[in-house]
Amino acid sequence: MNKNELIAAMAEQAGLSKKDTEKALKAFTDVVAEELKKDGKVQLVGFGTFEVSNRAAREGRNPQSGEVMKIAASKAPKFKAGKALKDMINA
């Protein structure tokens, strides 16, 4: 499912226009992104949690030359599914 298909499905289920649904989806993604940028987390009970994962600096290898290289520390967004979502998928 791509973004347009998601918007259409959400609009149909919520009884909203596609334009209003697109605004709501954009607002949701913007709020989640801003919170993660501040190292916060967004927890939606029954659905899951969006949070930031810290990756430590480490050494890696260039697969072409085999040369050792340093990989800098970084942050990555992470989603952890909630129990209700897992149960729904496995039912």
Side-chain angles (χ1 to χ4, degrees), residues 7-86:
I7 290 169
M10 287 173 58
E12 184 178 324
Q13 189 161 5
L16 299 171
S17 70
K18 286 184 183 180
K19 195 168 194 168
D20 288 342
T21 305
E22 186 174 7
K23 284 181 186 177
L25 181 60
K26 178 157 178 32
F28 172 76
T29 56
D30 289 348
V31 168
V32 170
E34 283 299 316
E35 188 62 28
L36 294 179
K37 203 178 202 181
K38 298 185 288 191
D39 279 341
K41 72 178 184 177
V42 177
Q43 186 173 2
L44 304 172
V45 176
F47 185 72
T49 304
F50 296 92
E51 57 190 341
V52 176
S53 173
N54 292 311
R55 295 182 179 169
R58 62 194 190 281
E59 285 188 351
R61 291 197 179 270
N62 181 330
Q64 290 181 332
S65 65
E67 182 181 325
V68 175
M69 55 190 271
K70 293 189 183 214
I71 300 172
S74 64
K75 296 179 181 181
K78 180 170 107 175
F79 175 75
K80 182 179 177 187
K83 184 179 182 333
L85 180 60
K86 289 179 189 176

